[in-house]
């Protein structure tokens, strides 16, 4: 799109474009126009300038709108360890480091891409084109059992089971040090950290949502001062086990968000959290 400045009044480039009828018909906000200028998609007299650059009569502005990305994930030949499979379900042992579904920064190489290849594209469509088959998720660095829906009927049933807490999820975790109690149930509210929005945190009610984890210490190793802990989830909040273990003074080994792996005696190169047991009703 080419625009000729037809006013003698000198204005900022972004201000002029906000008023332009051709661009306004596309519904672009001033912030979006600024981002286009910053990305070099808008030039003034053939040159990339800043949003505060001034336009004058007969200046030539060229706008190049980026094409929309196709959000449909593609099948990719990524090996999967299959624990169970039939015409409705696929249950895999997700390796650490594998992102569950495409998102910004991870448009490919995800579990969705692998499942599409493995199932010849036959996954449920209830979750939308970006997350076919996905009814629950594991953090990127968490390993273990994940169920994927191959049919819409299975997807609907599984989502209902997870939301109504009819599933059973038991994890194995390795924590730094050891909890004060060998066995206990942690019940606290969890929500977004008030300062670091990448983290979750324990919050005082009514803030956050209730989260419940029943745990049992299976053993403790003195050499690395680490404990093997069985965690039974009764709710499924984001980072729940990681937040709960840090809350009781036993942050997980290899956790870059809620611990400091460089100061931990046990060196593993990964987050020590594994979805060991998953029970659903077929």
């Amino acid at each position: 799109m080419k625009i000729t400045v037809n006013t003698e009044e000198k204005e900022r480039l972004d201000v002029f474009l906000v008023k332009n009828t051709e661009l306004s018909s596309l519904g672009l906000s001033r912030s979006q126009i600024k981002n286009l200028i910053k990305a070099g998609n808008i030039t003034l007299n053939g040159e990339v300038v800043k949003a505060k650059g001034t336009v004058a009569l007969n200046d030539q502005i060229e706008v190049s709108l980026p094409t929309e990305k196709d959000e449909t994930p593609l099948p990719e030949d990524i090996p999967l360890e299959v624990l169970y499979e039939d015409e409705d379900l696929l249950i895999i042992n997700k390796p650490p480091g594998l992102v569950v579904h495409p998102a910004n920064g991870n448009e490919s190489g995800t579990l969705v891409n692998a499942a599409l290849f493995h199932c010849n594209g036959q996954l449920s469509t209830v979750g939308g084109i970006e997350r076919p088959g996905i009814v629950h998720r594991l953090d990127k660095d968490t390993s273990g059992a994940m169920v994927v829906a191959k049919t819409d009927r299975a997807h609907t049933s599984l989502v209902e089971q997870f939301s109504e807490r009819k599933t059973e999820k038991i994890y194995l975790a390795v924590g730094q040090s050891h909890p004060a109690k060998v066995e206990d149930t942690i019940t606290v509210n969890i929500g977004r950290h008030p300062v670091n929005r990448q983290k979750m945190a324990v919050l005082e009610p009514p803030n956050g949502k209730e989260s419940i984890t029943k745990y049992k210490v299976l053993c403790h190793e003195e050499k690395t001062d680490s404990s093997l802990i069985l965690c039974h989830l009764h709710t499924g909040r984001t980072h729940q086990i990681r937040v709960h273990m840090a809350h009781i003074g036993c942050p997980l080994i290899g956790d870059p968000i809620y611990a400091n792996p460089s100061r931990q005696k046990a060196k593993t190169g990964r987050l020590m959290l594994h979805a060991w047991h998953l029970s659903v009703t077929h």
Side-chain angles (χ1 to χ4, degrees), residues 3-274:
I3 301 171
T4 300
V5 178
N6 56 7
T7 176
E8 294 185 0
E9 183 181 352
K10 291 187 177 181
E11 289 184 302
R12 284 174 53 122
L13 175 60
D14 57 340
V15 174
F16 173 80
L17 290 173
V18 168
K19 298 177 182 178
N20 183 267
T21 55
E22 290 181 82
L23 275 185
S24 63
S25 66
L26 299 176
L28 294 175
S29 66
R30 184 172 176 180
S31 62
Q32 289 173 317
I33 289 172
K34 280 185 175 182
N35 288 334
L36 288 172
I37 295 171
K38 188 176 181 180
N41 290 91
I42 297 178
T43 59
L44 178 62
N45 297 323
E47 296 182 0
V48 176
V49 295
K50 294 183 178 180
K52 63 182 180 181
T54 304
V55 299
L57 182 65
N58 294 325
D59 276 350
Q60 298 296 310
I61 301 170
E62 188 165 349
V63 181
S64 175
L65 297 176
T67 56
E68 292 187 7
K69 292 182 179 179
D70 184 358
E71 303 290 346
T72 306
L74 300 175
E76 294 180 43
D77 188 4
I78 301 171
L80 290 175
E81 181 184 346
V82 177
L83 302 177
Y84 175 84
E85 183 175 13
D86 61 21
E87 65 273 14
D88 291 301
L89 307 177
L90 171 66
I91 303 179
I92 60 103
N93 179 22
K94 188 186 89 67
L98 182 65
V99 175
V100 171
H101 56 75
N104 289 336
N106 293 286
E107 287 79 11
S108 61
T110 70
L111 172 61
V112 163
N113 300 105
L116 283 168
F117 182 89
H118 179 85
C119 300
N120 296 316
Q122 299 301 308
L123 295 178
S124 70
T125 60
V126 178
I129 60 172
E130 295 180 22
R131 305 180 183 185
I134 301 302
V135 297
H136 71 126
R137 61 184 295 276
L138 295 176
D139 292 339
K140 173 185 175 182
D141 296 319
T142 301
S143 58
M146 260 200 76
V147 59
V148 176
K150 296 171 73 173
T151 65
D152 289 354
R153 182 182 66 165
H155 190 119
T156 301
S157 173
L158 288 166
V159 166
E160 180 180 308
Q161 291 180 53
F162 277 103
S163 64
E164 295 183 1
R165 302 180 188 177
K166 294 179 179 179
T167 62
E168 185 176 55
K169 296 175 287 183
I170 303 176
Y171 289 67
L172 285 171
V174 181
Q176 176 183 325
S177 186
H178 55 84
K181 296 181 180 180
V182 173
E183 189 172 355
D184 198 9
T185 298
I186 305 168
T187 303
V188 293
N189 278 26
I190 286 180
R192 285 289 168 191
H193 193 284
V195 178
N196 186 343
R197 306 304 290 177
Q198 301 299 315
K199 297 175 66 174
M200 305 300 287
V202 172
L203 303 176
E204 289 293 327
N207 298 314
K209 295 182 179 179
E210 184 183 55
S211 58
I212 305 170
T213 302
K214 183 177 181 180
Y215 75 84
K216 180 179 181 180
V217 178
L218 300 181
C219 63
H220 179 260
E221 186 184 71
E222 295 292 341
K223 184 178 179 181
T224 58
D225 187 26
S226 59
S227 300
L228 178 62
I229 306 169
L230 194 70
C231 298
H232 192 162
L233 286 186
H234 292 278
T235 54
R237 308 304 178 201
T238 300
H239 294 179
Q240 179 170 314
I241 293 175
R242 299 164 70 176
V243 173
H244 281 184
M245 291 298 105
H247 179 64
I248 63 173
C250 193
L252 299 191
I253 298 296
D255 193 333
I257 299 178
Y258 302 98
N260 188 341
S262 64
R263 294 186 178 181
Q264 294 174 327
K265 291 182 180 180
K267 306 297 181 184
T268 61
R270 62 156 291 189
L271 172 69
M272 295 300 284
L273 182 61
H274 179 73

